[in-house]
Amino acid sequence: MTGTDWAAWQQSWDRQQEWYMPDREERFRVMLDMVEALVGPKPRVLDLACGTGSITSRLLRRFPDATSVGVDLDPALLAIAEGSFAGDERVTFVTADLKDPSWAASLPYGSYDAVLTATALHWLHSEPLTALYGQLAGLVRDGGVFMNADHMIDEATPLINAAERALRHARMDREKADGVLDWADWWAVAAKDPVLAEPTARRFEIYGEHADGDAPSAAWHADTLRAAGFGEARTVWASPCDSLVLAVK
């Protein structure tokens, strides 16, 4: 893997994700604001379903004394993450399946100041996500936080949802015509890379083209987190289609 430009892969991933979520950096900013407000500037963080380490990158840029444990199952995205943070003793990566009840046994620590995740848990259906939230309540220390920024759809507002979706997809179509890589295009490029081709093939063996999880409302997430053992939970940021839900242990 020597000589691979991991920074370029990180930037490419960010650009692809921003095509779907042009306000992506804003949700990260609010997430880290809440980390600082509730647990301070030296947190031990679990970057849940970490992908290429997008949250970890922004965490350490803002809080140099933080530590991060990234956990994911995707071998290609983990290869980019591990290459990007090679030699950084503040960062550890763990390969684990969040649907495996014993996944947390692979973690290097038993508790965390903050568990953070973004645009990932919609891969899970509501039942395994409820079980995961119960596990996270045991990993977050008392006074610590969990935050999930993701697609959260309020089915009580179908007219608003349809209008937002139409406008968003019109923008995406314009940008795609200008050459922006979408999800499938990005993976096609990765599959041709000498270093990422093999982990990309394994990735599709694990996941297929895309999972078909749920995207319940922010209210559902808050209610489920409180039922799992968190003391408080509510939305702290929202766009027309996504929300950031914060829960305090």
Side-chain angles (χ1 to χ4, degrees):
M1 292 166 57
T2 302
T4 300
D5 189 344
W6 297 115
W9 278 110
Q10 286 281 6
Q11 292 165 8
S12 175
W13 178 259
D14 282 342
R15 286 195 298 271
Q16 178 254 124
Q17 290 287 286
E18 287 162 1
W19 179 64
Y20 295 95
M21 300 165 289
D23 49 21
R24 186 168 178 253
E25 292 301 325
E26 179 67 7
R27 71 191 68 195
F28 287 145
R29 181 191 65 78
V30 174
M31 180 180 281
L32 296 181
D33 281 351
M34 294 296 96
V35 167
E36 183 172 10
L38 287 158
V39 300
K42 300 180 181 181
R44 176 191 290 168
V45 170
L46 178 60
D47 185 352
L48 193 71
C50 64
T52 66
S54 296
I55 290 175
T56 292
S57 175
R58 288 151 181 81
L59 172 80
L60 297 179
R61 192 181 309 150
R62 178 159 170 176
F63 306 125
D65 293 325
T67 57
S68 179
V69 176
V71 59
D72 208 304
L73 186 61
D74 189 313
L77 298 186
L78 279 174
I80 295 171
E82 290 167 348
S84 299
F85 294 94
D88 192 331
E89 296 181 352
R90 300 170 297 175
V91 184
T92 304
F93 291 104
V94 173
T95 300
D97 184 351
L98 297 181
K99 292 185 286 188
D100 181 344
S102 63
W103 71 270
S106 302
L107 300 177
Y109 307 108
S111 68
Y112 295 84
D113 300 308
V115 177
L116 309 177
T117 188
T119 326
L121 299 189
H122 65 274
W123 284 64
L124 299 178
H125 288 287
S126 298
E127 185 174 344
L129 182 55
T130 299
L132 178 63
Y133 280 175
Q135 291 177 300
L136 296 179
L139 287 172
V140 175
R141 68 160 172 84
D142 288 346
V145 300
F146 166 71
M147 279 180 267
N148 179 14
D150 209 344
H151 310 310
M152 299 183 185
I153 299 170
D154 188 341
E155 294 183 354
T157 58
L159 181 62
I160 295 172
N161 297 348
E164 182 280 326
R165 179 180 173 82
L167 183 66
R168 174 162 43 93
H169 279 265
R171 171 191 59 79
M172 292 168 70
D173 288 345
R174 291 192 301 271
E175 294 177 2
K176 186 74 161 59
D178 290 335
V180 174
L181 295 181
D182 66 11
W183 172 269
D185 293 336
W186 190 90
W187 282 110
V189 173
K192 296 176 182 178
D193 183 82
V195 173
L196 290 178
E198 189 275 334
T200 295
R202 285 193 285 120
R203 179 246 182 252
F204 280 96
E205 290 176 1
I206 294 169
Y207 291 109
E209 289 300 320
H210 202 285
D212 58 348
D214 300 332
S217 69
W220 180 94
H221 285 272
D223 290 343
T224 303
L225 287 162
R226 285 190 292 268
F230 288 90
E232 296 182 6
R234 72 169 177 87
T235 300
V236 292
W237 174 91
S239 73
C241 60
D242 290 10
S243 295
L244 170 59
V245 172
L246 161 65
V248 181
K249 180 72 179 292

